[in-house]
Amino acid sequence: MTELTLSKAIGSGLRRALSDDDRVVILGEDIGALGGVFRITDGLQRDFGADRVMDMPLAESGIIGMAVGLAYRGFRPVCEIQFDGFIYPAFDQIVSQVAKLHYRTRGAVRMPLTIRVPYGGGIGAVEHHSESPEAYFTHTSGLRVVTCSTPQDAHTMIRQAIACDDPVLFFEPKRRYWTKGEVDEDADFPMDAARVVVTGTDVTIVTYGPLVATAIDAAAAAADDGVSIEVIDLRSLSPLDLETVEASVRTTGRLVIAHEAQEFGGLGAEIATAITDRCFYHLEAAPARVAGFDVPYPASRLEEHFLPDLDRMLDAVDRVMGRENALTGWSAS
């Protein structure tokens, strides 16, 4: 076991993938000599060469387009999109080409392509650097969409994403890049299986990526108030492990879904609908969502008001418990 930050754990996973498989190549902006804007690829070009760790021009559609060609030729390309808000120039390549080539060729062509995307807010960045675009990609059949919340998951899941024969969007919660934890480099678990982080009996909180740590804090705070919360880290956003969520809600009878992305049309709506359908007669209250507001991501000095925090998560817990709340003044009566 080695203690690593989440960012170093991703770098360690990339290094292991490059060592284990000569077909793995990495491409992106400033990932070579600089080692990436967050230094995740630091030292990889020096150790594996510029033919396998390639600096690319400032053109995201070109990065993904080149990766498609490499995948066609039998490589396993890993693309780095420097920040979440810069993925849109490559959107057409991803949803129109990467996602459909396997289906379009009736299985003759696989797309073992991994696209790494630092996402979410909380680091005081400027416009286009704090977005949560994951729902766009979960809406597209043919793509796997995953995210991590711990250094262990980051290391294991990036290797699994690279080894997967399907295209994988690998979303990295950038404000958790500096979170430290023990990493077993040989650990293994199903990439699309959700993880029960905290067990509880009164309320289920379902979340992923940057908000898992906030949900754990909410569970601890609620316990002091006599409420037992179960926290589920989804890990995979497409496909969704609804069986794990369903099993939890059948026990607790109450569901809160939390994500940083805007609420309208987000994953929270999909999960609330699916679980209501599966657990209608077990629910004690309507599911509640805690999400970013339906506005463009604000300037950094205002982002603490935009991002779901401990108070908003506990307010949602109070709502599904039918209790009055001092934060919003909400009451079931």
Side-chain angles (χ1 to χ4, degrees):
M1 299 284 279
T2 306
E3 185 177 64
L4 297 172
T5 62
L6 192 146
S7 61
K8 292 293 184 185
I10 296 170
S12 173
L14 292 172
R15 177 175 292 276
R16 178 80 174 266
L18 285 163
S19 296
D20 289 349
D21 191 339
D22 290 340
R23 298 172 298 172
V24 175
V25 294
I26 302 177
L27 49 162
E29 297 157 9
D30 300 322
I31 65 167
L34 182 66
V37 68
F38 292 104
R39 304 297 185 269
I40 287 174
T41 55
D42 189 29
L44 296 183
Q45 188 181 71
R46 178 195 64 215
D47 296 340
F48 294 94
D51 291 338
R52 297 191 64 196
V53 181
M54 294 175 272
D55 275 321
M56 298 291 291
L58 186 66
E60 286 75 12
S61 60
I63 294 171
I64 302 301
M66 182 170 174
V68 169
L70 286 165
Y72 253 116
R73 299 296 294 177
F75 290 92
R76 290 186 174 274
V78 182
C79 306
E80 177 178 302
I81 301 296
Q82 202 166 68
F83 282 93
D84 35 57
F86 303 148
I87 198 169
Y88 304 117
F91 191 79
D92 178 59
Q93 290 275 14
I94 296 169
V95 302
S96 296
Q97 307 300 329
V98 172
K100 297 174 181 172
L101 277 166
H102 181 70
Y103 181 80
R104 186 182 298 153
T105 61
R106 299 184 181 182
V109 172
R110 304 304 300 254
M111 278 287 115
L113 193 159
T114 302
I115 303 171
R116 295 181 38 236
V117 189
Y119 81 116
I123 64 168
V126 296
E127 190 178 16
H128 304 312
H129 290 68
S130 302
E131 300 181 16
S132 299
E134 62 270 20
Y136 292 122
F137 301 100
T138 62
H139 188 66
T140 302
S141 300
L143 300 175
R144 289 180 181 268
V145 182
V146 303
T147 184
C148 54
S149 65
T150 69
Q152 179 67 72
D153 283 7
H155 178 88
T156 302
M157 291 174 67
I158 189 64
R159 291 176 53 209
Q160 292 172 332
I162 296 168
C164 182
D165 283 338
D166 298 327
V168 179
L169 273 291
F170 190 86
F171 281 92
E172 303 169 4
K174 66 173 82 79
R175 68 166 150 148
R176 305 298 181 192
Y177 270 153
W178 301 274
T179 300
K180 289 185 177 179
E182 294 288 333
V183 175
D184 176 357
E185 296 192 354
D186 295 318
D188 197 17
F189 49 78
M191 182 173 64
D192 51 7
R195 179 172 67 105
V196 178
V197 183
V198 179
T199 58
T201 57
D202 294 329
V203 178
T204 301
I205 296 181
V206 174
T207 188
Y208 54 88
L211 289 184
V212 173
T214 309
I216 294 171
D217 291 342
D224 292 338
D225 201 24
V227 178
S228 174
I229 290 180
E230 183 146 295
V231 178
I232 295 177
D233 177 1
L234 286 172
R235 283 181 173 149
S236 174
L237 310 184
S238 180
L240 281 169
D241 178 8
L242 289 171
E243 286 72 23
T244 296
V245 181
E246 177 183 350
S248 176
V249 172
R250 283 176 179 268
T251 298
T252 63
R254 299 174 179 87
L255 174 63
V256 172
I257 309 127
H259 54 68
E260 280 192 20
Q262 284 85 347
E263 182 176 281
F264 185 84
L267 273 170
E270 177 61 33
I271 295 167
T273 302
I275 294 303
T276 299
D277 186 44
R278 290 172 176 234
C279 304
F280 185 79
Y281 292 107
H282 295 268
L283 286 168
E284 302 288 343
R289 288 175 287 171
V290 183
F293 299 115
D294 294 324
V295 298
Y297 196 88
S300 59
R301 281 192 291 181
L302 297 174
E303 67 178 352
E304 65 180 276
H305 301 294
F306 175 89
L307 294 170
D309 60 9
L310 179 63
D311 286 340
R312 288 176 61 193
M313 216 172 275
L314 290 173
D315 171 64
V317 169
D318 282 342
R319 278 187 278 146
V320 298
M321 292 289 292
R323 305 194 314 179
E324 293 187 7
N325 183 279
L327 177 68
T328 62
W330 185 90
S331 170
S333 60

